[in-house]
Amino acid sequence: MEYTYSEDMKRRLKRIEGQVRGVLRLMEEGKPCKEVVCQLSAVRNAADKAMAQMVAENLQQCILEEQEQGGDTGKLVQEAVELLVKCR
């Protein structure tokens, strides 16, 4: 199975990359810890949302393929949930 990633997903990750560069810039400028931590929190939230979106998009594709083969889609959903919980 070949996975495809949407342009939206790639844009999300590029935005996160920019946020990380912004955090480094804050550190290099000697900004207060509170500012750096707030920006890191924003990076974490963006990454969490990107992971959830990625799993959701690929789960749809996997479910359609599994249904075509007459397989158990419930197992796929359970695996997706476990993946999100494990990676948190």
Side-chain angles (χ1 to χ4, degrees):
M1 175 175 175
E2 185 176 319
Y3 293 98
T4 57
Y5 300 99
S6 67
E7 289 304 312
D8 178 57
M9 180 57 59
K10 293 173 187 175
R11 278 191 300 274
R12 282 176 183 259
L13 294 177
K14 288 177 183 179
R15 196 173 312 125
I16 292 169
E17 180 183 32
Q19 287 177 305
V20 171
R21 276 195 236 105
V23 170
L24 287 169
R25 188 177 61 251
L26 290 174
M27 293 171 73
E28 289 168 354
E29 293 172 356
K31 297 294 182 181
C33 174
K34 183 176 179 179
E35 286 184 42
V36 175
V37 169
C38 284
Q39 289 304 311
L40 280 173
S41 178
V43 170
R44 180 177 57 197
N45 289 336
D48 286 345
K49 288 178 183 178
M51 284 188 295
Q53 183 66 32
M54 186 177 294
V55 170
E57 288 176 6
N58 285 298
L59 180 59
Q60 284 180 320
Q61 183 179 351
C62 291
I63 285 175
L64 291 174
E65 290 176 9
E66 194 69 22
Q67 285 175 335
E68 288 174 3
Q69 299 171 3
D72 180 15
T73 58
K75 182 180 176 187
L76 291 173
V77 173
Q78 182 62 34
E79 289 174 355
V81 170
E82 288 174 3
L83 176 64
L84 287 173
V85 169
K86 176 182 162 186
C87 293
R88 178 70 178 131

